[in-house]
Amino acid sequence: MALATGLAFGAAAASGIALGTTCSHQLSFLGSREKPAAKAPAEERNAAKEDYWQGFSMEEARKHADTSQARALARPPQEVFEDLQRGNARFWTGAAVRPEASAFERRALISKQSPVVAILGCSDSRVPTEIIFDQGLGDIFVVRVAGNALDTATLASLQYAVHHLKVKVLVVLGHELCGAVKA
């Protein structure tokens, strides 16, 4: 049951961070006695665009994807596995950094993915693979099936990861109290 407790704590921490960011932005005037000046809806939309638009092209995103792929291919398997272990330790100790990709990095992922590890894991909602290893978008190629059973489809997915994506490490991830295994 420790896994479920740890995941609940991790999910609560992630929610708290998201809420804290939103609330601190909205309630920043609480430190003073004055309310912030209200903005017209059009001004708010323009301010939001300026805050989030980074102005990059798909060509720049492809170059970034190529660079990321080269870095991923250069990593030795031992380093990849140690990175997973460190990420899992951050998750369990409540120190996860939850690497979020910027809009530019997400756009780069449209053209190419370069995961360095493939994980065959259970589809149990209490075991979200990227979260328990503190990894971001595009870092892990995940194949999820109840009881992490290997069949034709899961094997084909893992073969795709190895042969086409050139992953360095394969992991079969089990967990405590798996309902599919009990069944």
Side-chain angles (χ1 to χ4, degrees), residues 121-133:
C122 186
S123 56
D124 191 310
S125 63
R126 298 169 294 174
V127 192
T129 310
E130 289 86 353
I131 293 173
I132 65 171
F133 287 113

Side-chain angles (χ1 to χ4, degrees), residues 157-168:
S157 294
L158 292 171
Q159 287 174 333
Y160 168 77
V162 171
H163 295 294
H164 296 282
L165 299 177
K166 309 294 185 211
V167 299
K168 304 283 183 152

